[in-house]
């Protein structure tokens, strides 16, 4: 089925081919730019205050606080004693984080041999509970400090945790003692699966710590990028994490961001490093997002790895 945006593109994004030619031209050149890093940290702090707001905490969401579900004017969650007890006290991250790696899931990671590079970072963020099995280790690494989990994964992959919870608990072990970052209060149907994931980890004395993404933070980050030419209804998970990293880290390198079906060597690239299942809904935003990330790479504010790591 064709996504409708393919048929009626509304915003002008450079053609994939133009983007790739530009990447090829600039690929070898990169220099860290401290002024750009400081500027983006300030811009993101002013708009979105990631340090205080990225997660729902006891400090920023006391009992009685209303958490608005995204785009749903009539739906909200009022923090009560029960939900309050699930929140961490305060931002648990030791800010500023030093060398951060944000790992997207693009097929560009396949045969990249970036695993070692990624594992050398001091804080590693990954999206949507990605597989880290042996066959991928060389390309994506093994370590994780924060991993996002979409409630839809809990529903689809783990039968909403209504039956056996073992498969979920076992599959989470590859993330060691990292933070699991779930948008529990972003869409109403996501709350229950997220709370079930929380209790499953808590009841099995898991080493992982659940952090609920703060809907206010996600919404302000969305507005920040809207003002910079990313017009899709919702940002991709990867861009939220890059925004978080730009706000909290001294240095940011991103891997696995390549929303195109061919690589710089003109070989086909699968959508993910582990499968080629294309999303319909938000896919169109990714090239727009890529252009923004590429600007940040060119200006030395972050480093983007495309293709093989040295
Ligand atoms: O849920 P979502 O579609 O946002 O993410 P995903 O497919 O699990 O991939 C994680 C992130 O990697 C995305 O949010 C994008 O930012 C990035 N990505 C990319 O740049 N190019 C791709 N072909 C696939 C993912």
């Amino acid at each position: 089925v064709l996504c409708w945006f393919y048929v009626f593109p509304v915003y002008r994004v450079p053609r994939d081919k133009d983007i790739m030619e530009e990447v090829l031209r600039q690929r070898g050149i990169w220099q860290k730019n401290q002024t750009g890093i400081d500027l983006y940290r300030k811009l993101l702090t002013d708009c979105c205050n990631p340090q205080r707001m990225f997660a729902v905490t006891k400090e920023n969401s006391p009992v009685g606080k209303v958490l608005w579900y995204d785009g749903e004017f009539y739906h909200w969650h009022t923090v009560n004693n029960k939900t309050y007890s699930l929140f961490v006290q305060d931002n648990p991250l030791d800010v500023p984080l030093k060398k951060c790696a944000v790992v997207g899931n693009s097929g560009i990671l396949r045969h990249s041999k970036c695993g070692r590079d990624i594992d050398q970072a001091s804080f590693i963020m990954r999206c949507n509970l990605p597989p880290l099995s042996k066959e991928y280790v060389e390309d994506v690494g093994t370590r994780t400090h924060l991993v996002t989990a979409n409630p839809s994964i809990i529903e689809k992959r783990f039968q909403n945790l209504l039956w056996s919870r073992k498969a979920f608990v076992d599959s989470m072990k590859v993330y060691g003692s990292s933070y699991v970052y779930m948008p529990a209060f972003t869409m109403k149907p996501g709350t229950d699966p997220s709370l079930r994931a929380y209790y499953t980890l808590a009841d099995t004395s898991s080493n992982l710590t659940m952090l609920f993404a703060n809907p206010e933070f996600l919404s302000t980050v969305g507005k920040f990028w809207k003002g910079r030419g990313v017009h899709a209804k919702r940002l991709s998970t990867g861009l939220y994490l890059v925004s978080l990293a730009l706000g909290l880290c001294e240095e940011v390198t991103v891997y696995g961001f390549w929303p195109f079906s061919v690589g710089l060597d003109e070989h086909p690239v699968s959508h993910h490093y582990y499968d080629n299942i294309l999303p319909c809904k938000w896919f169109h935003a990714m090239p727009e997002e890529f252009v923004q990330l590429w600007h940040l790479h060119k200006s030395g504010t972050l480093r983007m790895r495309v293709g093989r790591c040295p």
Side-chain angles (χ1 to χ4, degrees), residues 73-301:
F73 297 114
Y74 303 110
H75 292 121
W76 65 87
H77 173 83
T78 307
V79 176
N80 54 41
N81 285 331
K82 256 197 169 150
T83 42
Y84 181 77
S85 70
L86 313 182
F87 304 160
V88 291
Q89 182 60 40
D90 210 342
N91 176 358
L93 307 179
D94 196 8
V95 177
L97 301 167
K98 300 269 176 300
K99 251 181 94 181
C100 294
V102 183
V103 188
N105 287 335
S106 166
I108 196 81
L109 278 167
R110 278 214 129 168
H111 312 299
S112 68
K113 301 225 183 317
C114 285
R116 219 166 39 135
D117 223 61
I118 293 171
D119 276 348
Q120 275 170 4
S122 52
F123 197 85
I124 301 165
M125 309 189 196
R126 302 185 191 266
C127 306
N128 295 325
L129 305 181
L132 298 178
S133 39
K134 251 196 185 147
E135 58 190 300
Y136 305 121
V137 163
E138 224 188 1
D139 296 330
V140 305
T142 56
R143 301 172 64 228
T144 306
H145 298 87
L146 182 145
V147 61
T148 70
N150 205 303
S152 66
I153 303 178
I154 304 297
E155 279 180 64
K156 288 185 197 135
R157 220 187 284 169
F158 303 105
Q159 295 80 42
N160 226 346
L161 297 173
L162 291 170
W163 297 69
S164 169
R165 303 183 305 171
K166 188 174 182 310
F168 175 69
V169 173
D170 287 350
S171 74
M172 294 300 283
K173 287 188 181 145
V174 289
Y175 308 113
S177 54
S178 68
Y179 295 101
V180 182
Y181 188 53
M182 282 197 86
F185 302 101
T186 302
M187 310 267 268
K188 198 167 164 44
T191 302
D192 276 355
S194 305
L195 298 188
R196 269 197 286 276
Y198 175 97
Y199 284 117
T200 304
L201 295 178
D203 294 352
T204 52
S205 312
S206 161
N207 290 332
L208 297 153
T209 304
M210 178 69 81
L211 290 178
F212 299 126
N214 194 319
E216 226 166 289
F217 173 70
L218 302 182
S219 147
T220 51
V221 170
K223 285 184 192 138
F224 177 83
W225 288 109
K226 200 166 230 167
R228 284 168 173 75
V230 180
H231 293 100
K233 181 156 185 285
R234 186 153 300 131
L235 301 181
S236 76
T237 312
L239 190 56
Y240 283 119
L241 287 191
V242 172
S243 313
L244 181 63
L246 287 170
L248 301 185
C249 309
E250 287 177 353
E251 240 181 86
V252 180
T253 307
V254 306
Y255 306 78
F257 285 77
W258 187 259
F260 310 110
S261 53
V262 287
L264 293 170
D265 54 6
E266 306 210 342
H267 282 93
V269 172
S270 55
H271 183 58
H272 293 136
Y273 66 83
Y274 46 88
D275 69 28
N276 196 22
I277 300 171
L278 294 174
C280 197
K281 274 192 186 161
W282 318 114
F283 188 55
H284 186 66
M286 284 192 196
E288 281 181 357
E289 294 184 359
F290 182 87
V291 170
Q292 297 303 319
L293 294 179
W294 187 249
H295 283 318
L296 293 174
H297 170 88
K298 274 202 311 190
S299 70
T301 305

Side-chain angles (χ1 to χ4, degrees), residues 47-84:
C47 80
C48 319
N49 198 353
Q51 184 160 348
R52 175 164 180 257
M53 294 301 290
F54 90 101
V56 177
T57 64
K58 288 192 162 79
E59 186 269 323
N60 65 32
S61 304
V63 173
K65 162 111 185 160
V66 173
L67 302 173
W68 292 93
Y69 289 112
D70 184 17
E72 297 179 43
F73 297 114
Y74 303 110
H75 292 121
W76 65 87
H77 173 83
T78 307
V79 176
N80 54 41
N81 285 331
K82 256 197 169 150
T83 42
Y84 181 77

